[in-house]
Amino acid sequence: MTATLRQSANSVAHTMIEGVSMTSALIGGAGGAYLGYQLTPVAWSDDSRIAFAGAVAVVGALAIDGLAELVLAPLRRLMRTRSPLPSTRRSAPAPAATLDEALAQVTAATEVDAARRAAGDSFRIDDGDNFLRDEDRWRGYEDGEATYYLAPGVVLHHRAEVSKYGRTNHFTLLTADSEQPVAITGMAQIRLHLAARAAGLPAALAAGATEDEDKPSTSVTELHEHLKALEA
């Protein structure tokens, strides 16, 4: 699917979701108004019956919209994580007059492409509030890799491999005081390493830690123990 078709499909999906939300609220409001008016005593004045019907209409609209959100909220989240919202893109440069100029243009485009791909693939480790989805904070390189600045001396590195089995993404934490990269599979790992550095724990301990949900490594266990001791 081309970028134009993908953006059009995303726009249609967003419009449909918002349309369902608005329609559900209107249905709830109309139904509430009808029931509210029918349930009021006939002895009441018309103004009182209309006012009561209006109040019930508001309650009905909010109630039905709330129920619809139980279904629509996950769909909105899926749209945010699986496809970036349309953004304003720069126009293409003028055709190159020389081979060197064309190479410079393609190199610059490759760096932008790498940054955007890293931001788009970051949902694999950041399924929360899209902390890593900001394209402007990613820096792309001409080899297709990209880095995300986290703190002084700490960056997140992204590299993708494409094979006959598909595209594989590798996120790695790189630090200035350690030559050992750390494979990252979730935001909790990044928090753990930053917390360790902020607490002044040994760089080797933090840089060498890898976290497995089933079998935490010795380094991760030691880090948790150190941090708990400092918080106590």
Side-chain angles (χ1 to χ4, degrees):
M1 182 183 292
T2 65
T4 302
L5 289 177
R6 187 182 298 109
Q7 182 172 334
S8 298
N10 292 340
S11 299
V12 170
H14 282 291
T15 301
M16 291 179 63
I17 291 174
E18 296 308 319
V20 171
S21 178
M22 182 177 296
T23 300
S24 64
L26 291 175
I27 293 175
Y34 176 80
L35 290 176
Y37 191 84
Q38 294 298 321
L39 293 175
T40 52
V42 180
W44 287 15
S45 64
D46 289 339
D47 291 339
S48 297
R49 298 184 69 184
I50 292 174
F52 182 80
V56 176
V58 172
V59 173
L62 294 176
I64 298 300
D65 186 61
L67 291 175
E69 277 300 302
L70 294 177
V71 176
L72 298 179
L75 292 178
R76 288 194 180 96
R77 183 179 179 184
L78 181 63
M79 291 296 297
R80 288 198 303 269
T81 57
R82 302 298 176 181
S83 56
L85 293 177
S87 58
T88 302
R89 302 202 173 196
R90 295 174 294 180
S91 58
T98 65
L99 182 60
D100 288 340
E101 185 180 350
L103 178 59
Q105 290 181 355
V106 173
T107 298
T110 301
E111 294 173 351
V112 174
D113 176 76
R116 285 183 171 154
R117 286 180 183 274
D121 292 333
S122 65
F123 74 87
R124 301 179 185 279
I125 61 173
D126 177 15
D127 199 24
D129 292 330
N130 302 324
F131 174 72
L132 298 176
R133 291 297 293 273
D134 188 351
E135 297 175 357
D136 295 333
R137 292 189 61 176
W138 282 96
R139 177 184 176 185
Y141 300 92
E142 59 185 81
D143 60 359
E145 300 180 4
T147 56
Y148 185 99
Y149 175 85
L150 290 169
V154 185
V155 298
L156 182 66
H157 178 266
H158 173 263
R159 175 176 60 86
E161 294 180 350
V162 180
S163 66
K164 61 180 181 179
Y165 300 107
R167 179 182 173 91
T168 304
N169 294 280
H170 302 278
F171 290 91
T172 309
L173 196 68
L174 304 178
T175 58
D177 51 9
S178 175
E179 296 181 357
Q180 182 177 358
V182 179
I184 298 297
T185 58
M187 294 297 291
Q189 287 175 273
I190 298 178
R191 186 207 67 80
L192 179 65
H193 288 278
L194 293 182
R197 296 177 68 85
L201 298 182
L205 182 64
T210 56
E211 189 168 20
D212 187 303
E213 293 182 358
D214 298 324
K215 297 179 179 180
S217 69
T218 302
S219 296
V220 170
T221 302
E222 292 176 359
L223 276 175
H224 280 297
E225 291 177 352
H226 279 295
L227 292 174
K228 289 180 179 178
L230 289 172
E231 293 174 354

